[in-house]
Amino acid sequence: RPGGAPGRTPALPSAGGGGVAGTVREAPDGSGFGKGDRVAALPVLGGFATTVAASTETVFPLPDGVSSDIGACLPMNYLTAHFVLETRAQLAAGETVLVHGAAGGVGVACIQFAKARGATVIAVVSSEAKGEVATAAGADHWVAVEGFKDAAKELTGGRGVDVVVDPVGGDRFTDSLRSLGDDGRLAVVGFTAGEIPTVKVNRLLLNNTSVVGAGWGAYASKRPGFMRRQWDAIRDDVASGRLAPPISATYPLSQAAAAIAELAERRVTGKVVIHPGEH
Protein backbone atom coordinates (compact mmCIF):
# COMPACT_ATOMS: atom_id res chain seq x y z
CA ARG A 1 0.00 0.00 0.00
CA PRO A 2 1.98 3.04 -1.24
CA GLY A 3 2.27 6.06 0.98
CA GLY A 4 0.70 4.22 3.90
CA ALA A 5 -2.55 3.82 1.97
CA PRO A 6 -5.49 2.96 4.18
CA GLY A 7 -6.44 -0.65 4.54
CA ARG A 8 -5.60 -3.93 6.24
CA THR A 9 -4.64 -7.43 5.22
CA PRO A 10 -7.95 -9.23 4.68
CA ALA A 11 -8.99 -12.72 5.60
CA LEU A 12 -9.28 -14.99 2.58
CA PRO A 13 -11.23 -15.41 0.42
CA SER A 14 -11.56 -11.72 -0.48
CA ALA A 15 -11.73 -9.56 -3.59
CA GLY A 16 -8.89 -7.20 -4.38
CA GLY A 17 -9.16 -3.89 -6.18
CA GLY A 18 -8.37 -0.64 -4.43
CA GLY A 19 -9.45 2.10 -6.86
CA VAL A 20 -12.65 2.15 -8.88
CA ALA A 21 -14.76 4.52 -10.97
CA GLY A 22 -18.29 4.43 -12.30
CA THR A 23 -21.76 5.82 -11.63
CA VAL A 24 -23.56 6.02 -8.32
CA ARG A 25 -26.40 3.54 -7.86
CA GLU A 26 -27.38 4.62 -4.37
CA ALA A 27 -26.11 7.23 -1.89
CA PRO A 28 -27.15 8.23 1.62
CA ASP A 29 -28.98 11.50 2.23
CA GLY A 30 -26.61 14.37 2.92
CA SER A 31 -23.66 12.72 1.20
CA GLY A 32 -23.60 15.20 -1.67
CA PHE A 33 -23.94 12.34 -4.18
CA GLY A 34 -26.96 11.11 -6.10
CA LYS A 35 -27.91 8.31 -8.45
CA GLY A 36 -26.15 8.63 -11.80
CA ASP A 37 -23.25 10.80 -10.60
CA ARG A 38 -19.90 9.86 -12.12
CA VAL A 39 -17.37 9.22 -9.38
CA ALA A 40 -14.02 7.72 -8.50
CA ALA A 41 -13.72 5.86 -5.22
CA LEU A 42 -11.23 4.11 -2.98
CA PRO A 43 -12.84 1.08 -1.35
CA VAL A 44 -9.30 -0.35 -0.75
CA LEU A 45 -10.74 -3.86 -1.04
CA GLY A 46 -13.56 -5.30 -3.13
CA GLY A 47 -13.01 -3.29 -6.30
CA PHE A 48 -12.91 -6.36 -8.55
CA ALA A 49 -16.69 -6.43 -8.86
CA THR A 50 -19.55 -5.09 -10.95
CA THR A 51 -21.04 -3.28 -7.93
CA VAL A 52 -18.87 -1.79 -5.19
CA ALA A 53 -19.65 -0.24 -1.81
CA ALA A 54 -17.44 2.55 -0.48
CA SER A 55 -17.55 4.97 2.40
CA THR A 56 -18.60 8.48 1.34
CA GLU A 57 -15.27 9.61 2.83
CA THR A 58 -13.53 7.87 -0.09
CA VAL A 59 -15.85 8.80 -2.97
CA PHE A 60 -14.92 11.70 -5.23
CA PRO A 61 -16.77 13.49 -8.06
CA LEU A 62 -15.19 12.77 -11.43
CA PRO A 63 -14.79 15.84 -13.68
CA ASP A 64 -16.58 15.84 -17.03
CA GLY A 65 -14.34 14.54 -19.79
CA VAL A 66 -12.26 12.33 -17.50
CA SER A 67 -12.81 8.68 -18.34
CA SER A 68 -13.70 6.03 -15.81
CA ASP A 69 -10.46 4.23 -16.68
CA ILE A 70 -8.46 7.30 -15.68
CA GLY A 71 -10.69 7.92 -12.68
CA ALA A 72 -10.12 4.45 -11.25
CA CYS A 73 -6.35 5.04 -11.29
CA LEU A 74 -6.39 8.44 -9.60
CA PRO A 75 -7.23 8.32 -5.88
CA MET A 76 -4.56 6.05 -4.41
CA ASN A 77 -1.46 7.43 -6.13
CA TYR A 78 -2.46 11.03 -6.76
CA LEU A 79 -3.80 11.73 -3.28
CA THR A 80 -0.56 10.16 -2.02
CA ALA A 81 1.44 12.51 -4.26
CA HIS A 82 -0.51 15.54 -3.01
CA PHE A 83 0.10 14.48 0.59
CA VAL A 84 3.80 13.77 0.08
CA LEU A 85 4.68 16.93 -1.79
CA GLU A 86 2.23 19.52 -0.51
CA THR A 87 1.24 18.47 3.00
CA ARG A 88 4.54 16.99 4.14
CA ALA A 89 7.34 18.35 1.92
CA GLN A 90 5.65 21.75 1.47
CA LEU A 91 6.79 22.03 -2.13
CA ALA A 92 6.98 25.55 -3.57
CA ALA A 93 6.97 26.68 -7.19
CA GLY A 94 10.47 26.92 -8.63
CA GLU A 95 11.94 24.21 -6.42
CA THR A 96 13.65 21.06 -7.67
CA VAL A 97 12.33 17.61 -6.79
CA LEU A 98 14.22 14.33 -7.11
CA VAL A 99 11.89 11.32 -7.42
CA HIS A 100 13.03 7.74 -6.79
CA GLY A 101 11.10 4.88 -8.35
CA ALA A 102 10.04 7.45 -10.90
CA ALA A 103 8.47 5.02 -13.38
CA GLY A 104 6.20 3.47 -10.74
CA GLY A 105 2.66 4.55 -9.93
CA VAL A 106 3.54 6.84 -7.03
CA GLY A 107 6.62 8.08 -8.86
CA VAL A 108 4.69 9.11 -11.96
CA ALA A 109 2.03 10.77 -9.81
CA CYS A 110 4.70 12.74 -7.95
CA ILE A 111 6.33 13.82 -11.21
CA GLN A 112 3.03 15.10 -12.59
CA PHE A 113 2.00 16.79 -9.36
CA ALA A 114 5.38 18.51 -8.97
CA LYS A 115 5.25 19.78 -12.55
CA ALA A 116 1.68 21.02 -12.04
CA ARG A 117 2.97 23.05 -9.09
CA GLY A 118 5.80 24.63 -11.06
CA ALA A 119 8.74 22.49 -9.93
CA THR A 120 11.68 21.06 -11.86
CA VAL A 121 11.81 17.25 -11.64
CA ILE A 122 14.78 14.89 -11.72
CA ALA A 123 13.66 11.26 -12.09
CA VAL A 124 15.81 8.40 -10.77
CA VAL A 125 15.26 5.15 -12.70
CA SER A 126 16.89 1.76 -13.21
CA SER A 127 16.77 1.63 -17.03
CA GLU A 128 16.51 3.76 -20.14
CA ALA A 129 13.01 2.42 -20.79
CA LYS A 130 11.90 3.62 -17.37
CA GLY A 131 13.60 6.94 -18.05
CA GLU A 132 11.38 7.30 -21.09
CA VAL A 133 8.33 6.62 -18.92
CA ALA A 134 9.42 9.31 -16.47
CA THR A 135 10.08 11.77 -19.30
CA ALA A 136 6.65 11.07 -20.80
CA ALA A 137 5.16 11.84 -17.37
CA GLY A 138 6.84 15.26 -17.46
CA ALA A 139 10.22 14.82 -15.76
CA ASP A 140 12.76 17.43 -16.88
CA HIS A 141 15.68 15.01 -16.50
CA TRP A 142 16.18 11.33 -15.78
CA VAL A 143 19.28 9.83 -14.22
CA ALA A 144 20.38 6.28 -13.46
CA VAL A 145 20.28 4.91 -9.94
CA GLU A 146 24.03 4.42 -10.01
CA GLY A 147 25.57 7.83 -9.52
CA PHE A 148 22.29 9.71 -9.03
CA LYS A 149 23.73 11.90 -6.26
CA ASP A 150 26.49 13.30 -8.45
CA ALA A 151 24.11 13.69 -11.38
CA ALA A 152 21.65 15.63 -9.22
CA LYS A 153 24.40 17.92 -7.98
CA GLU A 154 25.53 18.55 -11.55
CA LEU A 155 22.01 19.27 -12.77
CA THR A 156 21.51 21.80 -9.97
CA GLY A 157 24.85 23.52 -10.42
CA GLY A 158 26.16 22.01 -7.19
CA ARG A 159 23.34 23.45 -5.10
CA GLY A 160 21.44 20.21 -4.50
CA VAL A 161 17.73 19.51 -4.74
CA ASP A 162 15.00 20.93 -2.53
CA VAL A 163 12.93 17.78 -2.11
CA VAL A 164 13.61 14.06 -2.45
CA VAL A 165 10.66 11.66 -2.75
CA ASP A 166 11.77 8.21 -1.62
CA PRO A 167 9.42 5.22 -1.85
CA VAL A 168 12.42 2.87 -2.15
CA GLY A 169 14.67 3.23 0.92
CA GLY A 170 17.52 0.76 1.13
CA ASP A 171 21.13 1.64 0.49
CA ARG A 172 20.40 4.71 -1.63
CA PHE A 173 19.00 6.61 1.35
CA THR A 174 22.29 8.17 2.47
CA ASP A 175 23.02 9.48 -1.01
CA SER A 176 19.49 10.88 -1.10
CA LEU A 177 20.32 12.94 2.00
CA ARG A 178 23.56 14.06 0.36
CA SER A 179 21.58 15.16 -2.71
CA LEU A 180 19.68 17.78 -0.70
CA GLY A 181 20.62 21.43 -0.74
CA ASP A 182 20.24 23.82 2.19
CA ASP A 183 16.79 23.54 3.83
CA GLY A 184 16.05 20.44 1.75
CA ARG A 185 13.41 17.89 2.70
CA LEU A 186 13.46 14.13 2.19
CA ALA A 187 10.01 12.53 2.24
CA VAL A 188 9.96 8.87 3.30
CA VAL A 189 7.13 7.18 1.38
CA GLY A 190 8.00 3.49 1.63
CA PHE A 191 10.63 0.78 1.47
CA THR A 192 10.26 -1.17 -1.76
CA ALA A 193 13.95 -2.08 -1.56
CA GLY A 194 13.12 -4.07 1.56
CA GLU A 195 15.72 -2.55 3.88
CA ILE A 196 14.67 0.21 6.28
CA PRO A 197 17.51 2.76 6.42
CA THR A 198 18.70 4.75 9.42
CA VAL A 199 19.53 8.44 9.65
CA LYS A 200 22.75 9.90 11.06
CA VAL A 201 21.31 13.14 12.34
CA ASN A 202 24.54 15.09 11.97
CA ARG A 203 23.75 15.12 8.24
CA LEU A 204 20.55 17.00 9.02
CA LEU A 205 22.35 19.53 11.18
CA LEU A 206 25.05 20.43 8.68
CA ASN A 207 22.71 21.80 5.98
CA ASN A 208 19.49 22.30 7.97
CA THR A 209 17.78 19.49 6.14
CA SER A 210 14.74 17.45 7.22
CA VAL A 211 13.52 13.89 6.92
CA VAL A 212 9.73 13.68 7.06
CA GLY A 213 7.48 10.67 7.15
CA ALA A 214 4.73 10.62 4.55
CA GLY A 215 2.23 7.99 5.66
CA TRP A 216 -0.87 9.19 3.84
CA GLY A 217 -3.28 6.49 5.00
CA ALA A 218 -2.42 6.85 8.67
CA TYR A 219 -2.81 10.62 8.42
CA ALA A 220 -6.05 10.67 6.43
CA SER A 221 -7.78 7.99 8.49
CA LYS A 222 -7.61 10.24 11.56
CA ARG A 223 -8.96 13.33 9.77
CA PRO A 224 -12.50 13.06 8.38
CA GLY A 225 -12.91 15.03 5.17
CA PHE A 226 -9.18 15.27 4.49
CA MET A 227 -9.24 13.08 1.36
CA ARG A 228 -12.10 15.09 -0.12
CA ARG A 229 -10.21 18.33 0.52
CA GLN A 230 -7.23 16.79 -1.25
CA TRP A 231 -9.41 15.79 -4.20
CA ASP A 232 -10.85 19.28 -4.45
CA ALA A 233 -7.28 20.67 -4.44
CA ILE A 234 -6.25 18.53 -7.43
CA ARG A 235 -9.56 18.46 -9.30
CA ASP A 236 -8.66 21.26 -11.74
CA ASP A 237 -5.40 19.48 -12.56
CA VAL A 238 -7.31 16.26 -13.16
CA ALA A 239 -9.88 18.02 -15.35
CA SER A 240 -7.15 19.68 -17.43
CA GLY A 241 -5.19 16.45 -17.90
CA ARG A 242 -2.15 17.68 -16.00
CA LEU A 243 -2.69 14.73 -13.67
CA ALA A 244 -3.38 11.69 -15.82
CA PRO A 245 -2.04 8.22 -14.96
CA PRO A 246 -0.67 6.29 -17.95
CA ILE A 247 -2.65 3.12 -18.60
CA SER A 248 -0.68 0.27 -20.10
CA ALA A 249 -3.33 -2.45 -20.28
CA THR A 250 -6.99 -3.23 -19.68
CA TYR A 251 -8.51 -6.61 -18.80
CA PRO A 252 -12.03 -7.96 -18.38
CA LEU A 253 -13.04 -8.95 -14.86
CA SER A 254 -12.79 -12.62 -15.80
CA GLN A 255 -9.04 -12.13 -16.31
CA ALA A 256 -8.33 -10.28 -13.07
CA ALA A 257 -5.76 -12.91 -12.07
CA ALA A 258 -3.82 -12.32 -15.30
CA ALA A 259 -3.86 -8.57 -14.64
CA ILE A 260 -2.42 -9.10 -11.16
CA ALA A 261 0.25 -11.38 -12.61
CA GLU A 262 1.30 -8.60 -14.99
CA LEU A 263 1.93 -6.39 -11.98
CA ALA A 264 3.56 -9.06 -9.84
CA GLU A 265 5.99 -9.96 -12.60
CA ARG A 266 6.80 -6.28 -13.28
CA ARG A 267 5.84 -6.47 -16.95
CA VAL A 268 4.00 -3.14 -16.99
CA THR A 269 5.12 0.45 -16.59
CA GLY A 270 1.71 2.08 -16.27
CA LYS A 271 -1.59 1.29 -14.60
CA VAL A 272 -3.62 -1.83 -15.31
CA VAL A 273 -7.42 -1.41 -15.43
CA ILE A 274 -10.03 -4.12 -15.03
CA HIS A 275 -13.41 -3.65 -16.72
CA PRO A 276 -16.57 -5.22 -15.27
CA GLY A 277 -17.62 -6.61 -18.66
CA GLU A 278 -15.85 -8.54 -21.40
CA HIS A 279 -13.65 -6.30 -23.60
Side-chain angles (χ1 to χ4, degrees), residues 6 20 33 40-44 53-60 75 227-228:
V20 301
F33 297 103
L42 191 62
V44 180
S55 164
T56 55
E57 281 283 320
T58 63
V59 179
F60 315 103
M227 282 194 236
R228 178 56 188 269

Side-chain angles (χ1 to χ4, degrees), residues 56-58 60 78-84 86-88 215-234:
T56 55
E57 281 283 320
T58 63
F60 315 103
Y78 286 79
L79 296 186
T80 295
H82 176 273
F83 178 71
V84 170
E86 185 153 308
T87 306
R88 299 299 290 145
W216 167 63
Y219 186 97
S221 65
K222 299 173 185 175
R223 294 164 175 82
F226 177 71
M227 282 194 236
R228 178 56 188 269
R229 293 192 294 274
Q230 286 188 284
W231 184 265
D232 291 344
I234 69 171

Side-chain angles (χ1 to χ4, degrees), residues 181-197:
D182 290 349
D183 305 317
R185 293 87 71 198
L186 191 160
V188 178
V189 183
F191 311 105
T192 60
E195 178 187 345
I196 298 176

Side-chain angles (χ1 to χ4, degrees), residues 97-100 102-103 111 121-125 130-131 134-135 139-144:
V97 180
L98 184 146
V99 180
H100 286 289
I111 289 170
V121 176
I122 301 171
V124 181
V125 294
K130 291 183 177 181
T135 300
D140 298 278
H141 314 279
W142 70 264
V143 299

